[in-house]
Amino acid sequence: MSPMKKQDLIRNFCIIAHIDHGKSTLADRFIQKAHIVSEREFHDQMLDNMEIERERGITIKSQAITIPYKAKDEKIYNLNLVDTPGHVDFYYEVSRALSACEGAVLLIDATQGVEAQTLSNMYMALENDLEIIPVINKIDLPGADIDRVKKQIDDDLGLDPETALLVSAKYGTGVEELMESIVERVPPPDGSENTAPKALIFDSHYDSYRGVVVHVRVFEGIIRAGDNIKLWSTDSVYKVEETGIFRIGLEKTKSLGAGEVGYLIAGIKVLKDARVGDTVTNADKPCNKPLPGFREVKPVVFSSIYPIDSNDYELLQMAMEKLQLNDASLVYEKDSSAALGFGFRCGFLGLLHLEIIQERLEKEYNLGVLFTSPSVKYRVTLRNGEVLYVDNPQNYPDPAKIEKTEEPYIRASIITPEKYLGNIINLCLEKRGIQKTMTYLDSKRVELIYEMPLSEVIYDFYDKLKSVSRGYASFDYEIIDYRSTDVVKLDILLNGKPVDALSQLVYRENAYSIARSVCKKLKEEIPRHQFKIPIQGAIGGQIIARETISALRKDVTAKCYGGDITRKRKLLEKQKEGKKRMKMIGDVQLPQSAFLSVLKRT
Amino acid sequence: MTLLDSNYDIALYVHIPFCRSKCIYCDFFSFVPPSVNEGIIETTIISILEELEYNLAMLPSVTIKTLYIGGGTPSLLSGKTLESLLRGIDLSLRRHNTEVSGLSEYTIEANPESVTRDFLEICSDHGVTRISIGFQSMSDRLLDILKRPGCCRDNFKSLELLESSWTGKKSGDLLSGIPTQKTDELIESISVLIENDFKHISLYTLTVEDDTELCQMVKNGSIEMPKAEEEEKMWFSGKNFLENNGLMNYEISNFAIPGYESLHNLAYWKMEPYLGIGPSAVSTMPASGDTDKRVDSSNIILRMTHSNDLVKYCRGRENNWGITTESIQAREFLLENLMMGLRLRDGIEKSLFRKRFGIDLFDILPMTDEFSDDPYYYRLEGDSRFMLEKILLSIQRYTEPLSSEQIHIQWPRDTDRGK
């Protein structure tokens, strides 16, 4: 019998699941079982440590933790759980986190069954050669249909349903067996400690005292404090100050060797220098080729952020810098608008990412901000042959000079119960979708593959999909290519003056309906003033939609006697507070919600 | 802190918190059967009289100018209970050296269906000079929508009774903007009151208050409020009709033939001291920081709000009638003065404002077009129904930075204070 290697006691795994299938709850159970945190310290969803994540119940950042586990063979294993983001906006981060593991727990909700993200995550896990352990979760719920899910595991996923484990993460049922299965079924990592080091960056975070903390999976060699390391994509060299593993905090170790998951601190100043997917090696004795799969994360949705109070521009700038420390996928540059003053043009991974940034600016930095209509990046070829990429309506060239415009397309995968098929096909058609395939996964459920413009998806597609399918359809997408399109710039005029921040680039055929709906929404959102305010939608000089906000009415005129004075005064004071959340555009006060309403076309 | 006792005027309010049923729009505080019975009502009335007696005894120097018994539905009281309430008030006032006949106004609220000859006679006998009746509308369909306890026939029956048995002043409440209401129906309702010699009419817009049945209904879509524009047009038709008949729009929702304005309510709008007695009633009174309650040392303004818990209230003095007290800061008081005063067509008297706050309004505000250039009054230039909210929002920008030291409050009036 060969001597026990250190690696034999390591298991690197992740949990992959569709949103809401119980990933974070299961992670919490693992941590509790390992007793590395006392019950008092334990709070729900340990791994999701950002306030917004906890509120939304979505994991945004990859997180890792090393859980000691004493298996039936009486040996203590280190189970490295790499928690992955749970939203399509963070597709690339998920793929990198998966490649740091040898195994994946594929979690399926016993009441919901296999969904679009279950499939796409499984394919991703297969691409990375991971051992997949199917787990049926939420078996405690009355609606749990284990037989049905087992059949789906067989039919849709092509996995052996007999290997599926039954778990209730909520009550801890089956968690012990699952941990034992991880030890038994996930192969231990291999790789030699005697060759040049090669480690994958699967995430990083910023610590205000230590600088950038890089999350790595070492595949070969060993990394120690004092080593000079090189980051492959930028060729930059740093000296390692500390290595360690993830407990509830960081736990320093002498080194990180092949097969281990942990962190390193190396005086890296800004997060974007530690790129997810990049390879870390020794600067003096480098490996000869990097790990596969690295690509730069490119934002796909663009929008400008302005402070509601123009005096807050510098505060906003500071907040953006700090946010970028924790969010390498956020990119921005200075921008200005005639209506809104100075701000930033920002790129996001998707609309959820945009909303998260907005919430963080408001909650963590207490800043009132406005976002302009999100846009994709168009590829514009001018008649003189010049090619431009345009994501800001203000920079859209004079149509007379344009030879052609192209827009990004996605491949969308939708899984739905058969009875919503008609609704969903109509929705996809409305969104200019081109059906590629339609596959019956079982007698009741269908997988649809559509190609459609990204610009149709970033607004309200997901909300509409949920509403036409009563929440049953699931959705996933990836960007495929650029295709020819017909785009016009839609301007919105308030009180006769165009508000540049409300302009958007839209598909010509949709311009009328979008203009009408934006005008209507603005009518609802803009408070009444002392005067009438016309709201108009226009292409070039041509008005294509119009609404009017009539002059202010009475609310304060409701009866007021001795009993209501305090309440009425407080109401007034509160209204004034609300006014701080408004932006003056000429004579018109525009509330933040007006900008938001333009984001969502319904 | 104790309430200041010196020679200033107060408006006295007594709240009777009982109704026959709850109207869908009402957020005033009242109990309806089966949670009340005659015994509970009698106990409450006894507590009200005790509270009144105690307060008047503690404030021997103040002068009661007006008295208003509101609700709830005071006319719901049985003849016997009403008799004992009014007699009790009468006695307390006498012990305070005030004759009911010396009040400048004594109002009681009533609902049409509970107005009886008996009720009117008892009120007359005890010196009530003004009756305010909540008609709301003269259409059965609209009264049904509002779940009013009475119907149109009750309205006309009460008008007949008033005609035969009431010699005092009359005021009527009407609503505009009731779902499905037509302008003609509103005008018809107003006409009925004018024909019956009502010289004071309150015309309110039906508003959706939080925590009312109406609010629920609007949220769940079972009722649809009229569009703002329609409602506005209707209210204006009402306003024009009233003014064409000589009832002037002296306050945002109140109309009167000159000389028939509600003196008691004017005291609220002018932010004069008022003492509220009864469950959920509110008082705003000057107080003294000194233990000698005759010394006005620090211009403290107290607002006291009664609990609406009948048990707490009826435990009486040992529980201070369930009152919670808030101290109104100078800046808040200034804002309240503007908020209330600018509701009036006459606005706020400049000299009074100067005396009260030690500053001129225009010392703190930039000159704005919203104010008329009347040398005696701060007054909104246009219709306060449209302007008040805006002006108050912008005024806060200028009043907010003021520190309490910059505002020298003399309230009620320096000439009336502890001399």
Side-chain angles (χ1 to χ4, degrees):
Chain A
M1 204 172 111
S2 64
M4 192 89 191
K5 286 190 296 177
K6 188 167 104 186
Q7 288 164 340
D8 292 339
L9 294 175
I10 296 175
R11 297 293 181 274
N12 297 316
F13 75 105
C14 54
I15 309 171
I16 52 181
H18 190 74
I19 245 173
D20 285 341
H21 281 200
K23 193 152 59 80
S24 299
T25 316
L26 180 60
D28 292 347
R29 269 333 133 242
F30 282 151
I31 293 165
Q32 258 180 330
K33 286 264 183 231
H35 300 296
I36 51 177
V37 53
S38 72
E39 287 298 322
R40 195 177 54 81
E41 283 171 312
F42 185 84
H43 53 116
D44 267 353
Q45 312 218 338
M46 223 31 254
L47 292 186
D48 292 358
N49 58 10
M50 269 202 306
E51 184 188 357
I52 292 160
E53 291 189 350
R54 207 168 296 128
E55 270 176 20
R56 286 177 175 252
I58 299 171
T59 313
I60 299 162
K61 306 261 308 155
S62 305
Q63 303 271 344
I65 191 158
T66 299
I67 305 161
Y69 172 68
K70 188 174 183 184
K72 281 189 188 145
D73 61 11
E74 296 290 313
K75 291 181 189 130
I76 308 239
Y77 290 81
N78 273 332
L79 306 185
N80 290 319
L81 165 60
V82 177
D83 196 21
T84 60
H87 192 275
V88 287
D89 280 6
F90 306 100
Y91 176 88
Y92 177 66
E93 279 81 350
V94 177
S95 82
R96 292 309 83 205
L98 294 194
S99 69
C101 304
E102 277 77 33
V105 170
L106 180 62
L107 205 56
I108 307 165
D109 186 323
T111 66
Q112 306 289 324
V114 170
E115 305 215 44
Q117 279 178 334
T118 320
L119 271 182
S120 66
N121 284 329
M122 188 196 66
Y123 292 141
M124 226 193 282
L126 288 176
E127 276 170 33
N128 285 287
D129 288 330
L130 303 193
E131 176 66 33
I132 295 171
I133 303 175
V135 169
I136 303 174
N137 188 26
K138 304 197 189 178
I139 55 166
D140 55 290
L141 289 183
D145 187 347
I146 293 163
D147 291 340
R148 174 176 153 255
V149 177
K150 280 196 168 171
K151 191 164 176 344
Q152 290 174 359
I153 289 173
D154 193 2
D155 297 351
D156 306 352
L157 306 180
L159 301 173
D160 180 358
E162 296 310 311
T163 64
L165 296 168
L166 303 182
V167 163
S168 163
K170 191 173 164 194
Y171 296 108
T173 322
V175 173
E176 190 75 27
E177 292 80 351
L178 175 55
M179 290 174 101
E180 198 60 37
S181 273
I182 291 168
V183 170
E184 279 170 22
R185 286 156 70 176
V186 174
D190 52 17
S192 163
E193 290 199 346
N194 302 321
T195 53
K198 198 188 252 188
L200 170 78
I201 301 179
F202 63 87
D203 195 16
S204 53
H205 75 268
Y206 184 79
D207 179 300
S208 43
Y209 298 102
R210 318 288 312 264
V212 174
V213 179
V214 186
H215 303 201
V216 292
R217 156 70 200 271
V218 182
F219 281 90
E220 289 184 29
I222 195 157
I223 299 175
R224 293 184 186 84
D227 287 355
N228 284 319
I229 51 161
K230 184 176 86 164
L231 304 187
W232 195 279
S233 74
T234 53
D235 220 13
S236 45
V237 174
Y238 301 92
K239 193 183 188 92
V240 176
E241 295 163 9
E242 182 179 314
T243 60
I245 58 168
F246 300 102
R247 293 292 191 187
I248 290 307
L250 302 177
E251 192 177 296
K252 196 170 165 179
T253 58
K254 283 186 192 138
S255 65
L256 282 178
E260 288 189 290
V261 170
Y263 68 90
L264 61 87
I265 296 170
I268 301 174
K269 293 281 180 299
V270 288
L271 210 55
K272 57 184 172 184
D273 291 341
R275 298 178 180 182
V276 170
D278 205 353
T279 302
V280 181
T281 188
N282 192 297
D284 309 317
K285 203 175 54 170
C287 55
N288 43 27
K289 65 176 188 4
L291 292 159
F294 173 72
R295 64 181 161 98
E296 247 181 285
V297 182
K298 289 207 181 79
V300 294
V301 176
F302 300 84
S303 161
S304 297
I305 309 180
Y306 294 95
I308 290 177
D309 182 345
S310 309
N311 297 325
D312 287 345
Y313 174 74
E314 283 178 12
L315 288 176
L316 176 61
Q317 184 169 17
M318 271 162 52
M320 294 297 291
E321 282 167 13
K322 283 191 184 158
L323 280 180
Q324 209 180 33
L325 288 177
N326 271 310
D327 185 348
S329 42
L330 173 68
V331 296
Y332 65 89
E333 60 188 30
K334 280 187 184 168
D335 192 15
S336 70
S337 143
L340 301 176
F342 289 106
F344 296 97
R345 188 72 187 171
C346 303
F348 304 96
L349 300 177
L351 216 52
L352 176 77
H353 189 207
L354 180 153
E355 285 174 24
I356 289 165
I357 295 296
Q358 172 175 10
E359 281 181 35
R360 292 189 65 186
L361 285 171
E362 300 203 329
K363 289 209 167 122
E364 294 170 27
Y365 299 94
N366 195 26
L367 274 166
V369 289
L370 299 173
F371 280 65
T372 60
S373 300
S375 172
V376 299
K377 187 173 270 191
Y378 292 92
R379 182 157 71 195
V380 183
T381 309
L382 300 181
R383 291 196 193 283
N384 64 11
E386 196 186 339
V387 177
L388 307 170
Y389 283 90
V390 180
D391 62 55
N392 190 339
Q394 292 184 55
N395 302 335
Y396 197 67
D398 178 355
K401 291 184 182 160
I402 296 175
E403 176 72 32
K404 65 167 178 178
T405 302
E406 295 162 296
E407 65 176 317
Y409 265 65
I410 60 162
R411 179 183 180 277
S413 153
I414 298 162
I415 294 180
T416 175
E418 188 187 28
K419 62 173 162 178
Y420 305 115
L421 204 53
N423 290 346
I424 291 174
I425 289 174
N426 283 339
L427 173 65
C428 290
L429 275 178
E430 190 190 305
K431 300 294 182 188
R432 297 189 277 145
I434 306 154
Q435 198 184 96
K436 301 312 277 186
T437 63
M438 183 167 103
T439 316
Y440 274 80
L441 296 174
D442 55 34
S443 58
K444 288 186 195 128
R445 289 178 330 129
V446 182
E447 185 191 26
L448 292 163
I449 303 290
Y450 269 87
E451 289 176 359
M452 60 173 90
L454 175 64
S455 62
E456 296 286 354
V457 171
I458 59 172
Y459 282 92
D460 56 355
F461 180 77
Y462 193 62
D463 292 344
K464 280 199 167 169
L465 180 69
K466 285 287 168 198
S467 109
V468 301
S469 68
R470 294 172 184 262
Y472 282 108
S474 63
F475 170 66
D476 198 20
Y477 74 85
E478 57 181 328
I479 292 178
I480 45 175
D481 52 16
Y482 268 89
R483 294 181 192 177
S484 202
T485 185
D486 186 8
V487 165
V488 290
K489 186 177 160 207
L490 170 64
D491 292 315
I492 301 294
L493 288 72
L494 286 184
N495 226 3
K497 292 176 207 111
V499 180
D500 55 4
L502 292 175
S503 293
Q504 45 185 319
L505 296 171
V506 300
Y507 187 60
R508 186 184 298 274
E509 273 179 32
N510 295 343
Y512 282 80
S513 66
I514 291 173
R516 271 196 302 273
S517 106
V518 168
C519 289
K520 217 171 146 203
K521 287 204 152 178
L522 286 173
K523 185 186 176 178
E524 286 164 17
E525 294 295 340
I526 298 174
R528 302 217 283 168
H529 287 57
Q530 307 311 121
F531 43 86
K532 272 189 187 175
I533 306 167
I535 308 169
Q536 294 159 307
I539 300 173
Q542 190 198 353
I543 304 294
I544 60 168
R546 185 192 164 101
E547 292 280 346
T548 308
I549 300 173
S550 52
L552 188 69
R553 77 156 178 174
K554 39 105 238 208
D555 290 323
V556 291
T557 60
K559 60 171 92 169
C560 185
Y561 300 102
D564 347 280
I565 297 177
T566 297
R567 189 172 70 92
K568 282 245 155 66
R569 169 172 46 76
K570 289 192 170 154
L571 207 65
L572 198 62
E573 288 164 347
K574 217 171 111 193
Q575 262 176 299
K576 205 211 70 192
E577 278 302 307
K579 240 183 112 169
K580 285 188 185 159
R581 291 233 172 278
M582 302 242 203
K583 187 85 195 173
M584 288 299 288
I585 307 285
D587 300 331
V588 181
Q589 287 169 10
L590 218 52
Q592 189 183 28
S593 54
F595 286 88
L596 279 176
S597 73
V598 180
L599 299 189
K600 305 215 165 173
R601 300 169 179 166
T602 310
Chain B
M1 286 180 291
T2 51
L3 295 188
L4 177 71
D5 177 46
S6 69
N7 178 26
Y8 59 90
D9 297 344
I10 62 165
L12 178 61
Y13 177 77
V14 176
H15 191 78
I16 309 298
F18 306 107
C19 283
R20 185 201 277 186
S21 62
K22 195 88 191 162
C23 307
I24 59 168
Y25 57 90
C26 181
D27 69 337
F28 275 53
F29 173 69
S30 73
F31 287 95
V32 295
S35 67
V36 289
N37 54 41
E38 197 55 36
I40 293 175
I41 294 178
E42 278 171 20
T43 312
T44 309
I45 297 296
I46 290 167
S47 288
I48 285 173
L49 291 173
E50 280 172 1
E51 191 195 1
L52 177 66
E53 175 69 26
Y54 178 74
N55 276 279
L56 294 188
M58 297 303 283
L59 299 168
S61 314
V62 303
T63 307
I64 303 161
K65 295 296 268 195
T66 60
L67 172 52
Y68 195 109
I69 303 174
T73 314
S75 56
L76 193 76
L77 299 180
S78 68
K80 191 180 115 219
T81 313
L82 180 69
E83 179 79 46
S84 56
L85 172 69
L86 298 191
R87 194 184 323 116
I89 291 174
D90 206 0
L91 286 171
S92 280
L93 260 57
R94 262 180 222 189
R95 276 195 284 273
H96 189 264
N97 293 319
T98 308
E99 289 291 329
V100 165
S101 59
L103 297 170
S104 35
E105 185 184 278
Y106 186 176
T107 306
I108 192 162
E109 282 183 345
N111 259 0
E113 75 283 352
S114 50
V115 169
T116 58
R117 192 176 308 272
D118 222 23
F119 171 79
L120 294 176
E121 277 170 5
I122 295 169
C123 289
S124 290
D125 289 350
H126 288 279
V128 177
T129 57
R130 187 171 175 272
I131 185 164
S132 172
I133 303 188
F135 295 103
Q136 314 315 346
S137 170
M138 299 294 167
S139 146
D140 274 337
R141 177 174 54 82
L142 300 176
L143 291 172
D144 261 5
I145 289 176
L146 299 171
K147 295 202 186 158
R148 291 287 297 171
C151 62
C152 201
R153 225 184 56 206
D154 295 319
N155 289 351
F156 284 99
K157 209 185 74 201
S158 71
L159 290 171
E160 278 167 32
L161 280 169
L162 286 169
E163 178 64 31
S164 62
S165 317
W166 183 254
T167 53
K169 292 178 178 170
K170 295 178 289 192
S171 174
D173 287 0
L174 293 175
L175 280 172
S176 80
I178 307 168
T180 77
Q181 188 180 22
K182 309 257 185 327
T183 301
D184 290 353
E185 293 171 313
L186 175 63
I187 300 295
E188 168 63 21
S189 299
I190 298 172
S191 305
V192 169
L193 296 189
I194 289 175
E195 281 159 20
N196 280 276
D197 204 26
F198 279 65
K199 295 188 170 74
H200 187 282
I201 292 173
S202 303
L203 179 56
Y204 303 117
T205 295
L206 180 63
T207 21
V208 184
E209 303 286 355
D210 290 349
D211 302 324
T212 57
E213 191 182 342
L214 178 62
C215 182
Q216 276 302 315
M217 293 167 81
V218 169
K219 276 187 188 156
N220 69 26
S222 60
I223 202 166
E224 194 184 346
M225 294 298 289
K227 287 212 173 68
E229 292 83 359
E230 289 167 23
E231 182 282 313
E232 225 156 65
K233 249 170 92 182
M234 186 186 304
W235 189 88
F236 264 94
S237 307
K239 171 195 154 111
N240 291 336
F241 186 80
L242 282 157
E243 296 206 318
N244 289 339
N245 282 280
L247 282 85
M248 305 314 287
N249 189 197
Y250 74 101
E251 190 264 356
I252 286 179
S253 4
N254 282 279
F255 296 79
I257 286 177
Y260 287 82
E261 296 86 358
S262 164
L263 298 179
H264 182 86
N265 289 333
L266 276 171
Y268 296 139
W269 296 318
K270 293 181 173 176
M271 283 303 284
E272 281 159 11
Y274 56 91
L275 181 66
I277 304 290
S280 88
V282 178
S283 310
T284 302
M285 297 281 283
S288 164
D290 208 287
T291 42
D292 178 354
K293 63 183 172 157
R294 301 187 64 87
V295 179
D296 170 21
S297 54
S298 54
N299 292 302
I300 297 163
I301 295 156
L302 292 185
R303 179 155 301 141
M304 290 155 292
T305 305
H306 287 77
S307 157
N308 53 21
D309 181 330
L310 278 189
V311 175
K312 282 188 187 158
Y313 182 76
C314 290
R315 275 167 63 197
R317 201 180 145 188
E318 61 168 291
N319 197 36
N320 196 26
W321 291 279
I323 289 172
T324 50
T325 302
E326 92 189 278
S327 165
I328 305 292
Q329 302 307 303
R331 198 182 335 109
E332 294 170 341
F333 191 58
L334 192 145
L335 183 62
E336 289 181 352
N337 270 258
L338 297 172
M339 182 179 89
M340 299 304 276
L342 294 175
R343 295 176 71 90
L344 293 171
R345 193 179 52 172
D346 280 348
I348 299 163
E349 201 183 324
K350 284 184 176 172
S351 60
L352 189 70
F353 188 88
R354 177 151 198 102
K355 271 185 193 157
R356 233 176 233 187
F357 297 103
I359 40 178
D360 274 339
L361 191 53
F362 284 118
D363 284 349
I364 50 173
L365 291 184
M367 294 297 285
T368 62
D369 296 340
E370 276 86 7
F371 284 96
S372 77
D373 51 12
D374 189 318
Y376 301 107
Y377 292 94
Y378 297 111
R379 228 164 62 178
L380 291 176
E381 181 71 68
D383 193 323
S384 44
R385 187 176 152 92
F386 291 97
M387 304 194 55
L388 188 54
E389 194 165 285
K390 185 197 171 193
I391 190 75
L392 290 175
L393 284 174
S394 62
I395 276 178
Q396 285 180 79
R397 269 211 349 249
Y398 303 100
T399 56
E400 205 171 52
L402 290 176
S403 71
S404 285
E405 288 75 48
Q406 286 167 277
I407 311 171
H408 301 286
I409 294 199
Q410 285 293 317
W411 189 73
R413 264 178 271 184
D414 56 350
T415 48
D416 296 342
R417 307 206 72 150
K419 298 201 170 150

